[in-house]
């Protein structure tokens, strides 16, 4: 009820730690980006395009910027050129940085995302109060190449048995 009437953007900014996005991800990504610095609005647009692509399967990233007419037989169902060029999208993707910490002296395959995960968890603890009934669940983030996925696991009972397993409580 508290979110009744809230926009998708308002809900996103409630869940995603905005201060971390502005103070760490945007600042660190701008240190690496080739070309103009990224604004907060452009970063939100980039994330929106990335999240939309994550809802569909079977398309190459470049399909979303194709100049061919949309058809049932080829290409993605939507074109992003009016929001951002493919060159700019890929420049942001290449520069995208999730931490302002230096790499540890020991082997930690998750060090580049550990800070954003920590901030996400802190934000969730701040905005949610759990009820007396909680359910622990586990889910797989599919990933087929074990050599490019830190924490790659094989869990045969899952519909997508290869990837990273995450635990969540709700």
């Amino acid at each position: 009820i508290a979110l009744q009437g809230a926009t998708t953007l308002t809900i996103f900014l409630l869940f995603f730690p905005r201060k971390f996005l502005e103070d760490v991800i945007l600042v660190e990504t701008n240190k690496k980006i080739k070309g103009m610095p990224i604004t907060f609005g452009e970063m939100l647009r980039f994330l929106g395009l990335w999240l939309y692509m994550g809802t569909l399967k079977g398309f190459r990233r470049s399909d979303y910027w194709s100049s061919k007419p949309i058809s049932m037989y080829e290409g993605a169902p939507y074109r992003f050129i009016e929001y951002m060029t493919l060159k700019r999208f890929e420049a942001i993707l290449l520069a995208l940085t999730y931490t302002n910490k230096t790499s540890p002296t020991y082997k930690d395959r998750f060090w580049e995302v550990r800070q954003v995960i920590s901030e996400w968890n802190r934000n969730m603890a701040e905005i949610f109060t759990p009820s007396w009934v909680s359910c622990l669940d586990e889910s797989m983030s599919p990933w087929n190449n074990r050599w490019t996925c830190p924490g790659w696991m094989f869990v045969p009972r899952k519909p997508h048995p290869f990837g990273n397993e995450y635990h969540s409580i709700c």
Side-chain angles (χ1 to χ4, degrees):
I1 293 176
L3 295 175
Q4 193 170 21
T7 66
T8 305
L9 179 60
T10 301
I11 294 169
F12 175 81
L13 292 174
L14 175 67
F15 288 112
F16 201 92
R18 181 179 179 153
K19 185 165 174 38
F20 184 78
L21 179 61
E22 291 176 309
D23 295 348
V24 177
I25 295 175
L26 201 53
V27 169
E28 296 303 315
T29 301
N30 273 329
K31 289 178 183 177
K32 295 181 179 179
I33 191 87
K34 300 231 187 289
M36 295 290 296
I38 309 162
T39 64
F40 181 69
E42 186 179 32
M43 179 59 82
L44 290 178
R45 203 166 40 251
F46 168 83
L47 291 172
L49 297 176
W50 197 240
L51 289 169
Y52 181 81
M53 284 187 280
T55 66
L56 303 168
K57 63 181 182 177
F59 306 108
R60 295 183 316 259
R61 191 179 322 143
S62 60
D63 288 341
Y64 292 94
W65 282 270
S66 173
S67 57
K68 294 179 184 177
I70 296 172
S71 80
M72 288 179 53
Y73 305 105
E74 68 176 338
Y78 199 79
R79 300 293 189 258
F80 294 158
I81 191 66
E82 65 186 277
Y83 304 108
M84 183 179 289
T85 66
L86 176 60
K87 184 176 178 181
R88 181 63 172 175
F89 184 88
E90 289 182 343
I92 295 171
L93 187 59
L94 187 64
L96 193 58
T97 306
Y98 301 102
T99 186
N100 57 8
K101 310 269 189 225
T102 56
S103 77
T105 55
Y106 55 89
K107 188 174 186 173
D108 178 3
R109 294 178 188 222
F110 290 97
W111 77 269
E112 292 173 295
V113 295
R114 198 169 295 285
Q115 188 180 7
V116 73
I117 292 169
S118 194
E119 283 299 313
W120 173 273
N121 290 337
R122 183 202 55 73
N123 188 60
M124 291 295 113
E126 186 177 303
I127 65 172
F128 282 111
T129 303
S131 73
W132 64 277
V133 176
S134 295
C135 175
L136 178 64
D137 192 17
E138 48 186 48
S139 58
M140 288 295 284
S141 178
W143 198 285
N144 291 324
N145 188 340
R146 70 181 296 180
W147 308 114
T148 62
C149 179
W152 185 89
M153 301 176 81
F154 172 64
V155 184
R157 70 180 184 278
K158 296 292 186 182
H160 299 284
F162 305 106
N164 282 331
E165 185 178 48
Y166 292 94
H167 296 91
S168 53
I169 196 158
C170 55

